[in-house]
Amino acid sequence: MTGADMDYCRREFARRFCGDDELQALLSAHDGPCMPDGDSAAAAVCALVEQKLRAREPLSLLRVGNGEGNAFSMLLPDPEPPRLRAFFSEFNSQNGLPAPLDDVVRFCREVKDAYRAADIIGFRLFKFDERAFIQMSIDKANEYAALGLTYARESVKEGLTTGWLRGKFITTAWLHLDLLQHVERLLDAAESVIVISGRSELQPAFAARLGARLTDFIAVPVQGFRPGDLAESHLYKDFPQVKDRLAQDLRGVLVLVGAGLFGKVYVARARDNGAVAIDIGSAFDIFAGLKTRPVHAFIPCEDYYWLKPQRDSGVAD
């Protein structure tokens, strides 16, 4: 990252970052549930999931991190080179190859629309000093983290001030990790379960737990895979196929998703068809015996391993 690029990141940070005090003031006026504490939120979310499954009503839970923040930034006018690089550094690792800008922008619109439709949204709220972390990222020339976290935080302010977060359940972006202790409860509550994950090695473990209640295990490319050509990439091959497989009556079905940015759209599509759909992201890595994120150091991952520990290989959001 050049000096000019660092200056761009600093300007975007100064222009767009929503600090904790401002965010607290906005959240105090929020007309829906707001539970940034993961332990209490996880119990409340589990109860809501059980209620919706019994009533065969739809529900979706999504989380916003730096990858999503960079995707949101692609919908801003006139993408600058640092923004493009920040987004494509994540997208290319999930898609395997870069895609034409027009297709990427359409995809990012689907990602943003998925969040606008979600019932429960997890943001990076008050767990870490985001201001200091972004400043450190700029100093280390890490535009992916600096810009992504800036735009992710801005999305909270945007949603609260424009109204699209009205009535929604706001919680922590790390809720998927707080839900680990409740996974068996979630599985038990469902008539049937669909799993969408890059961790195909987990299919036997889900089948052993669920038997005939596992109605589909949709394996998608794990982050870091390399297709032979663009036609074989996640965006052009798997993305339309998975959406088609979700085009069915999913009332009473629990759909667990871990597929990066693509997974956000899968959650929304499942909800559209009646499912209770939850973005559990890197929880799949933990089930597979992998620690793939720095935040995994803060939880007892070993308590939730379904498979023997492995060397880290690829990540799920």
Side-chain angles (χ1 to χ4, degrees):
M1 187 162 69
T2 67
D5 294 332
M6 293 177 69
D7 288 342
Y8 177 84
C9 291
R10 290 190 183 96
R11 289 195 302 272
E12 287 292 273
F13 176 45
R15 175 186 176 192
R16 298 179 182 276
F17 182 78
C18 180
D20 282 353
D21 290 344
E22 182 182 6
L23 195 56
Q24 287 277 20
L26 289 169
L27 288 170
S28 68
H30 179 57
D31 64 351
C34 181
M35 301 182 73
D37 175 72
D39 284 336
S40 57
V45 166
C46 279
L48 185 56
V49 166
E50 290 173 324
Q51 173 192 328
K52 293 294 186 179
L53 286 170
R54 285 194 301 269
R56 297 171 63 84
E57 295 175 347
L59 182 80
S60 65
L61 185 161
L62 288 175
R63 300 170 297 105
V64 178
N66 46 348
E68 291 71 40
N70 282 317
F72 298 162
S73 80
M74 296 298 288
L75 303 176
L76 298 171
D78 302 323
E80 298 283 345
R83 262 198 283 145
L84 289 169
R85 284 195 304 271
F87 170 77
F88 277 107
S89 67
E90 175 83 4
F91 177 81
N92 293 353
S93 71
Q94 294 182 18
N95 191 54
L97 292 169
L101 186 59
D102 287 348
D103 290 350
V104 161
V105 171
R106 278 193 292 270
F107 169 70
C108 290
R109 173 56 62 191
E110 288 192 70
V111 173
K112 185 67 174 286
D113 288 346
Y115 280 97
R116 294 177 70 92
D119 303 287
I120 306 170
I121 306 180
F123 295 104
R124 293 175 62 107
L125 302 175
F126 317 127
K127 188 178 181 74
F128 301 111
D129 186 342
E130 296 289 295
R131 182 183 295 277
F133 189 79
I134 294 171
Q135 289 173 329
M136 180 183 68
S137 297
I138 294 172
D139 292 341
K140 291 185 175 181
N142 183 350
E143 59 196 353
Y144 166 72
L147 293 175
L149 294 177
T150 296
Y151 298 128
R153 178 62 73 100
E154 183 186 42
S155 72
V156 195
K157 180 178 179 179
E158 176 200 26
L160 291 169
T161 55
T162 63
W164 68 261
L165 277 173
R166 186 175 295 117
K168 296 184 185 294
F169 190 135
I170 296 176
T171 185
T172 169
W174 295 277
L175 185 68
H176 60 313
L177 302 179
D178 297 297
L179 286 171
L180 284 168
Q181 60 189 307
H182 302 287
V183 165
E184 301 295 344
R185 174 182 168 188
L186 294 174
L187 294 176
D188 288 345
E191 294 177 16
S192 60
V193 177
I194 293 174
V195 175
I196 305 173
S197 173
R199 294 294 171 200
S200 58
E201 64 267 35
L202 288 171
Q203 184 168 1
F206 274 100
R209 282 167 167 78
L210 295 167
R213 291 193 301 125
L214 180 65
T215 55
D216 205 354
F217 189 106
I218 303 174
V220 295
V222 70
Q223 187 163 338
F225 91 111
R226 290 292 179 264
D229 56 37
L230 198 55
E232 295 295 311
S233 69
H234 198 150
L235 182 64
Y236 295 105
K237 180 182 177 183
D238 301 272
F239 192 50
Q241 292 177 358
V242 174
K243 289 191 288 185
D244 285 346
R245 287 173 72 169
L246 294 171
Q248 56 179 296
D249 184 355
L250 296 176
R251 287 174 293 180
V253 179
L254 175 65
V255 180
L256 301 178
V257 181
L261 291 172
F262 296 92
K264 317 309 173 181
V265 181
Y266 300 150
V267 165
R269 185 58 60 94
R271 183 197 185 280
D272 288 345
N273 291 301
V276 172
I278 303 177
D279 166 26
I280 67 168
S282 65
F284 283 118
D285 292 344
I286 293 171
F287 295 154
L290 290 161
K291 296 181 182 179
T292 57
R293 296 298 176 95
V295 72
H296 291 175
F298 294 90
I299 61 171
C301 293
E302 295 81 1
D303 293 349
Y304 306 108
Y305 285 169
W306 291 5
L307 305 181
K308 292 180 180 179
Q310 308 174 50
R311 293 182 60 188
D312 293 0
S313 174
V315 295
D317 178 49

